[in-house]
Amino acid sequence: MSYRVIALDLDGTLLTPQKTILPESVTALQHAREAGAKVVIVTGRHHVAIHPFYQALALDTPAICCNGTYLYDYQAQKVLASDPLRPDQAAQMVDLLTAHQINGLMYVEDAMLYLESSEHVKAHVARTQNWAQSLPESQRPVFRSVRSLKEAAQEVKSIWKFALTDSDIPKLRQFTREVERELNLSCEWSWHDQVDVAQRGNSKGARLAQWVASQGLSMDEVIAFGDNYNDLSMLESAGMGVAMGNADEAIKARADMTIGTNLETGIAETLYKYVL
């Protein structure tokens, strides 16, 4: 099988723990593009939080963001396709977060919003902003503090997802079950202590399949790399789904193959073997 699309998750996959891309991966992806392959980022991140990685790879393809909630064209700086949350769904979500004292960010059209009163989230945001200080200002993630997420949900144009985090994992698991039952929304784990809540039906695999079809290609021609539960939809629907060595065993079991960790050169080696 000739793979003509390379789909890449970012955190835990293409990115090292230091949020860098291995030089070997950059070179292999450049060679793959020169050979005619299309490289697409498929991430749980907001498009305002992937600028440096998109630029480092010098891509011209749209990015699939927020676990498939929307497809973003960097060249035109516009959303090409999306299935956001409705304001009423977001308001119900905020009520549940308040009732259960769960912390979270609300991803909207151009930024990630957080409650100015939430010390837990502010600490998370501060860590990301400290990391981003080394970047040009135009490439830094965009965060905004608000007094009320519920009020903000009525004022913004689009609500992509909520990113929830809590150190009490059993509590977070119980909360996701309630969200799925009460609000009929989709909950996907994107990190060991983070759950993303979005419109049901959105997934990396679904949006990737939509974009691949728009290119006149099939998912059989896709090789996809991922490490977490929100990657399963694309790993299982791609012609070849590749799990990282740092992924949970449950992810590895459902992928076609497993390579080294995100600190090793497995992505490059796999591309040279199966694409180039």
Side-chain angles (χ1 to χ4, degrees), residues 17-19 45 105 114 119-135 141 143 165-167 191-194:
Q18 291 73 41
K19 307 305 178 190
R45 287 179 177 238
L105 290 161
Y114 64 96
E119 295 301 323
H120 181 89
V121 176
K122 284 167 68 174
H124 167 76
V125 169
R127 287 195 297 272
T128 302
Q129 289 177 322
N130 288 339
W131 163 79
Q133 289 305 306
S134 62
L135 300 172
F143 293 97
T165 181
D166 200 287
S167 57
W191 206 243
H192 68 278
D193 62 350
Q194 180 173 311

Side-chain angles (χ1 to χ4, degrees), residues 26 28 47 111 144 193:
V26 174
H47 74 268
R144 287 204 300 266
D193 62 350

Side-chain angles (χ1 to χ4, degrees), residues 44-50 65-66 70 107-112 160:
R45 287 179 177 238
H46 195 297
H47 74 268
V48 300
I50 65 174
C65 302
C66 290
Y70 67 106
Y107 287 43
V108 301
E109 66 265 14
D110 59 353
M112 294 165 282
W160 305 132

Side-chain angles (χ1 to χ4, degrees), residues 9 42-46 64-67 107 161 196 204 230:
D9 168 54
V42 188
T43 180
R45 287 179 177 238
H46 195 297
I64 294 171
C65 302
C66 290
N67 299 325
Y107 287 43
K161 73 170 188 177
D196 296 335
K204 290 186 176 186
N230 61 335

Side-chain angles (χ1 to χ4, degrees), residues 81-256:
S82 67
D83 291 291
L85 292 166
R86 301 189 310 270
D88 64 295
Q89 291 175 309
Q92 291 175 305
M93 184 68 198
V94 172
D95 286 340
L96 276 182
L97 290 172
T98 302
H100 291 266
Q101 297 184 308
I102 297 288
N103 303 292
L105 290 161
M106 186 170 74
Y107 287 43
V108 301
E109 66 265 14
D110 59 353
M112 294 165 282
L113 309 184
Y114 64 96
L115 277 177
E116 58 186 26
S117 60
S118 175
E119 295 301 323
H120 181 89
V121 176
K122 284 167 68 174
H124 167 76
V125 169
R127 287 195 297 272
T128 302
Q129 289 177 322
N130 288 339
W131 163 79
Q133 289 305 306
S134 62
L135 300 172
E137 189 170 353
S138 62
Q139 292 187 12
R140 295 174 189 170
V142 181
F143 293 97
R144 287 204 300 266
S145 64
V146 296
R147 286 180 297 178
S148 167
L149 288 177
K150 197 169 186 178
E151 289 179 8
Q154 303 302 317
E155 298 167 356
V156 298
K157 295 178 181 177
S158 301
I159 304 162
W160 305 132
K161 73 170 188 177
F162 285 84
L164 315 181
T165 181
D166 200 287
S167 57
D168 187 340
I169 304 304
K171 174 185 175 183
L172 200 53
R173 290 190 185 281
Q174 176 60 38
F175 182 75
T176 62
R177 287 192 286 269
E178 184 165 342
V179 169
E180 291 174 332
R181 183 178 65 251
E182 298 294 329
L183 304 185
N184 195 33
L185 297 177
S186 173
C187 297
E188 290 191 305
W189 290 81
S190 57
W191 206 243
H192 68 278
D193 62 350
Q194 180 173 311
V195 173
D196 296 335
V197 180
Q199 193 67 266
R200 183 166 292 281
N202 287 337
S203 72
K204 290 186 176 186
R207 190 68 67 187
L208 178 61
Q210 181 187 67
W211 179 78
V212 167
S214 77
Q215 303 303 298
L217 302 172
S218 74
M219 286 297 285
D220 287 340
E221 297 172 282
V222 176
I223 181 169
F225 296 82
D227 76 302
N228 223 310
Y229 290 90
N230 61 335
D231 297 314
L232 281 173
S233 60
M234 72 171 180
L235 294 181
E236 293 186 320
S237 59
M240 179 176 287
V242 183
M244 303 303 292
N246 46 284
D248 284 354
E249 293 303 317
I251 308 299
K252 297 175 184 177
R254 293 168 65 176
D256 296 306

